[in-house]
Amino acid sequence: MIRDRIENLGKYDGIVPAGMIAEFLSENDAAALPCGRYELLDGAFVNVCDITENETYGKYEAHRCYSDLQFVVTGDEVMLRADIAAGIGGEYDPDGDCILFDGVSGAYDRCHLTAGEFALFDPTDAHMPGLRGVSGHIRKLIFKLPVKL
């Protein structure tokens, strides 16, 4: 997992397509975009969503084909992260590129993101996003970035 401010995204070019993400953000008002899916280049896309209540139902998730770059536009969000090997239960759904775990065994990290920050989760990261911090509303963009195999 990588955590940083969005203005520092260029430091991670080569790990993520920083230029493509920066271009999308410069051409669109992230706070005003309608919720939904927006196609990007090379199989990448971004989901724009608003969270008004805890929406994870206590499930960790992981992906095989995509990394998640979760960018908090407004509000604040708590996310949990553990190594995928610690995942308990869950089967891979290839249609949704998702494994939902019942929990994790052992250690996990707690990450509290505020507006302007992002977290990058790769396929080794089981993560539980969508937990509200102190704000009542979260606007976030989830960039789904194809994993280079």
Side-chain angles (χ1 to χ4, degrees), residues 62-82:
H63 313 287
R64 291 184 182 165
C65 299
Y66 290 91
S67 291
D68 280 2
L69 188 144
Q70 301 204 15
F71 168 48
V72 176
V73 178
T74 60
D76 65 310
E77 180 178 13
V78 173
M79 301 178 192
L80 306 180
R81 182 252 164 230

Side-chain angles (χ1 to χ4, degrees), residues 43-143:
F45 61 95
V46 59
N47 289 322
V48 177
C49 56
D50 292 321
I51 299 171
T52 55
E53 57 185 63
N54 292 344
E55 295 183 351
T56 63
Y57 308 105
K59 298 280 187 180
Y60 280 84
E61 63 183 60
H63 313 287
R64 291 184 182 165
C65 299
Y66 290 91
S67 291
D68 280 2
L69 188 144
Q70 301 204 15
F71 168 48
V72 176
V73 178
T74 60
D76 65 310
E77 180 178 13
V78 173
M79 301 178 192
L80 306 180
R81 182 252 164 230
D83 189 274
I84 192 171
I88 299 170
E91 290 187 28
Y92 180 66
D93 172 11
D95 293 332
D97 183 41
C98 192
I99 305 168
L100 292 177
F101 297 104
D102 295 325
V104 296
S105 62
Y108 64 90
D109 300 306
R110 182 179 184 274
C111 176
H112 187 178
L113 298 180
T114 58
E117 293 182 305
F118 72 89
L120 175 67
F121 299 101
D122 71 25
T124 65
D125 295 316
H127 53 286
M128 184 188 302
L131 303 172
R132 282 183 299 144
V134 295
S135 63
H137 178 266
I138 304 163
R139 161 54 66 110
K140 69 189 269 186
L141 278 60
I142 305 168
F143 290 88

